[in-house]
Amino acid sequence: MVNQRADVGWQSSKSDSSGVSNSGESSKESSRCSTPVLDADRTDRLRDKMKRRIESGDHWFSLEFFPPRTASGAVNLISRFDRMGSGGPLFIDVTWHPAGDPGSDKETSSMMIASTAVNYCGLESVLHLTCCNQTKEKITAHLNKAKRLGLKNIMALRGDPIGEDWVEEDGGFNYATDLVKHIRCEFDDYFDICVAGYPTGHPEAESYDNDLRHLKEKVDAGAHFIVTQLFFRAETFLRFVKNCRAIGITCPILPGIFPIQGYHSLRQLVKLSKLEVPEEIMQVIEPIKDNDAAIRSYGIQQAVEMCKVLLASGEVPGLHFYTLNREVATIEVLRQLGLWAEDPRRPLPWAVSAHPKRKVEDVRPIFWASRPKSYIYRTQDWDDFPNGRWGNSSSPAFGELTDYYLFYLKSKSPKEALLQMWGEELMNEGSVYEVFTNYITGQTNPSGHKVMCLPWNDDPLAPETNLLKDELEKVNRRGILTINSQPNINGKPSSDPIVGWGPAGGYVFQKAYLEFFTSSENVTALLQVLKKYEPRVNYHIVNVQGKNITNAHEMQPNAVTWGIFPGREIIQPTVVDPVSFMYWKDEAFALWIEQWAKLYEDESPSRMIIQYIHDNYFLVNLVDNDFPLDSCLWQVIEDMFALLDSPRETQEEGSQS
């Protein structure tokens, strides 16, 4: 039995225009914490994270990206955030392009890309902000918006002129120092501020020494750390750091690393940054300039050797990589340096958000396990988030999900790829069963394509789900269309590479859980079978119209994942909440139409098959509460099929018992 504190319940609350919480309690009272936050990195400011890493001698890396030009490019970039975020960057930063409406709500804007990285990818993010073509009022508006979106870090830059020469803006700023001062004046200490350094001096500076003095002015105005322009020799950066320290600059200085990836990209970047490429590098690159693979291989080794010298110097706490929105070269450099650390142990069993107001959140319903971005989107207007336990949530107030087109909610796969995976043409419901089965098994479909995602799971199977692969294959083949599952776990170490989460030295527990769509005929038999498994098995069964059949308490959540850690209270981060399930039901059914049926023409046989499943199938979740024993859920399904396969008289007897 999980110990629960009766004085720490939770309800989501949305403030009305008077500022009074709808839950009837003050925000201070409703956000009481029963448990310490698991990971200090979720609450610390970026400057504090840097300080802690410097004191421990733990080197870090960070990554720079630029906003894409197209909506599909935005989808791809968010996928790259997820992949590159798995390596453990301390932060990412997103550049600001004055000509691209960077502060707007467009999916390709700098503001939206940085906001998505924070809120939906859980990445500490730094938003670039430039003085170019902006008034003081416009800059203030951008900063207010950034703060509202959960962004806490700004890279303050003068920026490159839109034309050949810098044009002063009436009522604006001409120097990054003035921008730093403005941020400090208007927002006090809210933002951590980064500024740019130039190891060979800014190309427009009167002299190298004069540029160093300007850099110190930026730091003295309130900047917390420096990221430098790219360079090609380690000694260039180390001399720059020595000179900075000599004039009293004491903040962290991060070297900007550019792994050379191609001849033309190198020429373009050098042109923009007005740098000279050392002769020894050009002598290697010129003969192979038409061989991108050879140049990339050289660029990786050149970056690795330079970074080794930097890290060994004792002057470099971390490395900042200019990725050009690519991942292969940067990841390979980091791997060779031993900095790429895909730690399988997660702080919580689900993907966290880095928004400041969600920093204490440590409980969520299990239903959105494979759609964390959707959950974050639907709860973005909550004022408080559950911490310690979910509590009795009579009105969670989930936002409606109608914006399936949003780039961070769309499938990463284009329509053509989805049709290849899910079928150019469906023949019957069995065709759908085959898609689900191929997703589970990893086998190719009849057209020779692997099914790498489903509308409810946009990624390949998680390692944890692979533990159930054989059983899942059997039931999906027979029309138990699973969209979420977890095995029972009884005291596995928190360091377990598959099911572990939380701090080291703990133990994790899970109840077996199974969630699936199935036909009304199956549900009729299932309900008969479930009678003999009560109270061991709790269930919720609902159709698209909202007909809800359950043996669980209508308001009481059921903890299905929990952990015990040294010196801490029990954490229960995943629950089956009956009220939230009805909100999830709407989304789960809608995905049949929004992401699958709409691939086909109106009135086409394929579309009608998906529409029929949407209209007639039920969504079911099952929880086996006896977690120390082998899961009985597979036996429940087997008994259901046995009843269906038995003579009708037997079924009728079962329904009367």
Side-chain angles (χ1 to χ4, degrees):
M1 176 66 71
V2 177
N3 294 323
Q4 297 180 344
R5 285 177 52 169
D7 63 332
V8 191
W10 170 84
Q11 272 190 320
S12 74
S13 59
K14 293 173 67 175
S15 297
D16 60 21
S17 57
S18 66
V20 178
S21 168
N22 293 337
S23 67
E25 58 183 337
S26 70
S27 61
K28 180 179 179 181
E29 180 72 10
S30 63
S31 62
R32 288 176 298 177
C33 300
S34 71
T35 353
V37 175
L38 286 176
D39 186 353
D41 272 356
R42 293 183 66 198
T43 56
D44 281 356
R45 303 182 64 141
L46 181 54
R47 72 180 89 156
D48 297 325
K49 297 176 187 179
M50 288 185 179
K51 180 181 178 183
R52 193 166 62 249
R53 298 285 282 269
I54 290 171
E55 289 173 349
S56 67
D58 186 11
H59 293 131
W60 74 78
F61 71 91
S62 51
L63 306 167
E64 179 168 297
F65 300 92
F66 59 82
R69 295 181 179 179
T70 65
S72 61
V75 174
N76 292 336
L77 184 57
I78 299 311
S79 298
R80 184 161 287 119
F81 285 173
D82 288 336
R83 290 192 298 273
M84 298 192 77
S86 69
L90 187 64
F91 66 89
I92 70 159
D93 68 316
V94 179
T95 62
W96 184 272
H97 293 274
D101 203 3
S104 73
D105 291 335
K106 293 178 181 177
E107 54 201 358
T108 55
S109 75
S110 303
M111 188 76 74
M112 286 299 102
I113 294 296
S115 169
T116 301
V118 166
N119 288 287
Y120 297 98
C121 302
L123 296 172
E124 184 83 59
S125 301
V126 178
L127 174 66
H128 288 214
L129 184 62
T130 73
C131 306
C132 183
N133 201 29
Q134 302 206 88
T135 62
K136 183 189 300 184
E137 291 72 24
K138 195 171 183 180
I139 286 172
T140 301
H142 288 322
L143 290 165
N144 275 312
K145 184 174 183 178
K147 181 178 179 180
R148 187 172 67 252
L149 292 172
L151 292 160
K152 302 175 292 182
N153 312 295
I154 298 293
M155 182 174 283
L157 305 162
R158 187 202 72 170
D160 297 321
I162 293 179
E164 288 293 321
D165 300 311
W166 179 263
V167 177
E168 292 191 8
E169 178 75 27
D170 290 339
F173 302 121
N174 296 308
Y175 301 102
T177 303
D178 297 326
L179 177 56
V180 174
K181 290 178 179 177
H182 177 72
I183 296 171
R184 279 283 163 265
C185 177
E186 295 294 322
F187 295 88
D188 194 23
D189 201 36
Y190 176 81
F191 290 105
D192 282 11
I193 300 176
C194 172
V195 292
Y198 298 86
T200 58
H202 192 284
E204 297 177 21
E206 296 176 9
S207 67
Y208 175 80
D209 289 338
N210 193 49
D211 188 51
L212 282 179
R213 285 192 291 273
H214 285 310
L215 178 59
K216 188 171 190 305
E217 289 174 3
K218 289 189 283 188
V219 175
D220 290 345
H224 295 101
F225 65 101
I226 297 166
V227 170
T228 77
Q229 179 61 277
L230 63 92
F231 53 90
F232 297 100
R233 294 183 178 126
E235 57 267 26
T236 302
F237 176 81
L238 295 175
R239 181 188 65 134
F240 171 72
V241 172
K242 182 179 180 180
N243 293 334
C244 286
R245 302 304 185 215
I247 63 171
I249 296 175
T250 59
C251 67
I253 303 174
L254 308 183
I257 308 299
F258 171 62
I260 299 169
Q261 302 182 52
Y263 183 77
H264 296 293
S265 62
L266 174 64
R267 293 288 296 269
Q268 181 66 16
L269 201 61
V270 166
K271 179 182 177 182
L272 290 173
S273 57
K274 299 178 182 177
L275 291 174
E276 293 280 336
V277 181
E279 183 62 28
E280 67 268 19
I281 291 179
M282 291 307 301
Q283 286 178 356
V284 175
I285 288 179
E286 281 291 349
I288 57 172
K289 64 181 181 182
D290 296 323
N291 187 336
D292 283 348
I295 289 182
R296 184 168 58 245
S297 178
Y298 167 75
I300 289 170
Q301 292 311 310
Q302 187 268 339
V304 167
E305 294 308 314
M306 184 174 73
C307 289
K308 284 180 177 178
V309 174
L310 293 172
L311 294 173
S313 70
E315 300 289 343
V316 177
L319 305 168
H320 187 72
F321 284 82
Y322 296 106
T323 69
L324 299 185
N325 287 12
R326 301 174 187 172
E327 57 192 285
V328 174
T330 299
I331 291 176
E332 183 56 32
V333 171
L334 289 166
R335 282 204 167 108
Q336 292 193 32
L337 292 171
L339 294 179
W340 185 263
E342 290 190 14
D343 186 353
R345 189 173 66 250
R346 306 155 289 174
L348 288 163
W350 31 262
V352 300
S353 169
H355 193 294
K357 72 178 183 179
R358 303 185 84 113
K359 63 185 180 182
V360 299
E361 178 186 26
D362 65 4
V363 190
R364 287 184 189 173
I366 194 172
F367 319 122
W368 284 270
S370 297
R371 287 180 59 80
K373 292 182 176 66
S374 170
Y375 179 81
I376 292 167
Y377 176 80
R378 296 188 68 177
T379 58
Q380 63 183 319
D381 292 328
W382 290 1
D383 296 324
D384 302 297
F385 293 87
N387 171 254
R389 60 187 286 256
W390 183 262
N392 189 317
S393 56
S394 58
S395 180
F398 285 88
E400 293 297 320
L401 182 60
T402 56
D403 301 329
Y404 291 90
Y405 60 86
L406 291 173
F407 69 96
Y408 44 83
L409 300 180
K410 287 175 66 175
S411 172
K412 296 189 286 282
S413 303
K415 178 180 179 180
E416 297 74 20
L418 294 177
L419 284 169
Q420 289 173 344
M421 289 188 284
W422 301 345
E424 300 276 356
E425 183 179 4
L426 303 175
M427 306 307 296
N428 48 42
E429 292 168 63
S431 301
V432 176
Y433 301 176
E434 186 176 32
V435 172
F436 275 78
T437 304
N438 287 333
Y439 175 67
I440 295 295
T441 63
Q443 296 173 351
T444 57
N445 60 21
S447 62
H449 297 280
K450 286 192 173 184
V451 180
M452 303 302 293
C453 65
L454 291 173
W456 307 267
N457 308 71
D458 203 35
D459 294 299
L461 284 186
E464 183 179 10
T465 309
N466 275 314
L467 298 175
L468 308 173
K469 198 170 184 178
D470 292 343
E471 290 85 356
L472 289 169
E473 178 185 355
K474 292 175 188 174
V475 300
N476 276 275
R477 287 195 187 280
R478 299 195 66 179
I480 301 295
L481 306 178
T482 59
I483 61 171
N484 195 351
S485 60
Q486 71 175 28
N488 61 304
I489 300 296
N490 185 20
K492 285 271 191 180
S494 60
S495 57
D496 186 274
I498 296 177
V499 299
W501 56 272
Y507 294 90
V508 297
F509 302 80
Q510 291 180 175
K511 296 177 183 178
Y513 177 78
L514 192 63
E515 184 179 338
F516 54 90
F517 290 99
T518 198
S519 67
S520 57
E521 294 81 7
N522 285 350
V523 165
T524 300
L526 180 62
L527 284 169
Q528 294 181 42
V529 166
L530 283 168
K531 292 175 184 177
K532 69 178 183 179
Y533 287 94
E534 295 187 37
R536 176 173 175 176
V537 175
N538 284 127
Y539 58 84
H540 295 84
I541 302 173
V542 64
N543 65 6
V544 71
Q545 289 83 24
K547 179 183 178 182
N548 185 26
I549 309 166
T550 181
N551 68 341
H553 190 285
E554 63 179 9
M555 305 290 284
Q556 183 63 46
N558 185 352
V560 291
T561 308
W562 63 98
I564 300 173
F565 306 96
R568 309 192 184 208
E569 293 186 15
I570 293 173
I571 315 295
Q572 49 182 54
T574 312
V575 299
V576 169
D577 175 53
V579 179
S580 301
F581 184 62
M582 298 304 287
Y583 286 94
W584 163 246
K585 173 267 297 183
D586 295 335
E587 180 176 338
F589 275 102
L591 287 167
W592 282 106
I593 306 300
E594 296 294 334
Q595 292 203 18
W596 199 336
K598 288 184 177 180
L599 296 175
Y600 308 109
E601 295 292 332
D602 289 344
E603 306 301 324
S604 66
S606 296
R607 185 157 184 163
M608 298 305 292
I609 289 167
I610 300 299
Q611 186 72 53
Y612 176 83
I613 292 175
H614 169 272
D615 294 346
N616 294 281
Y617 276 40
F618 282 76
L619 179 63
V620 179
N621 75 57
L622 304 176
V623 178
D624 180 359
N625 292 297
D626 238 337
F627 66 90
L629 305 180
D630 289 342
S631 171
C632 70
L633 299 185
W634 308 114
Q635 189 61 49
V636 170
I637 302 299
E638 190 173 315
D639 290 353
M640 180 199 76
F641 283 126
L643 181 59
L644 286 166
D645 294 338
S646 65
R648 180 171 296 276
E649 301 81 42
T650 306
Q651 296 183 39
E652 291 174 351
E653 289 173 7
S655 65
Q656 295 168 5
S657 61

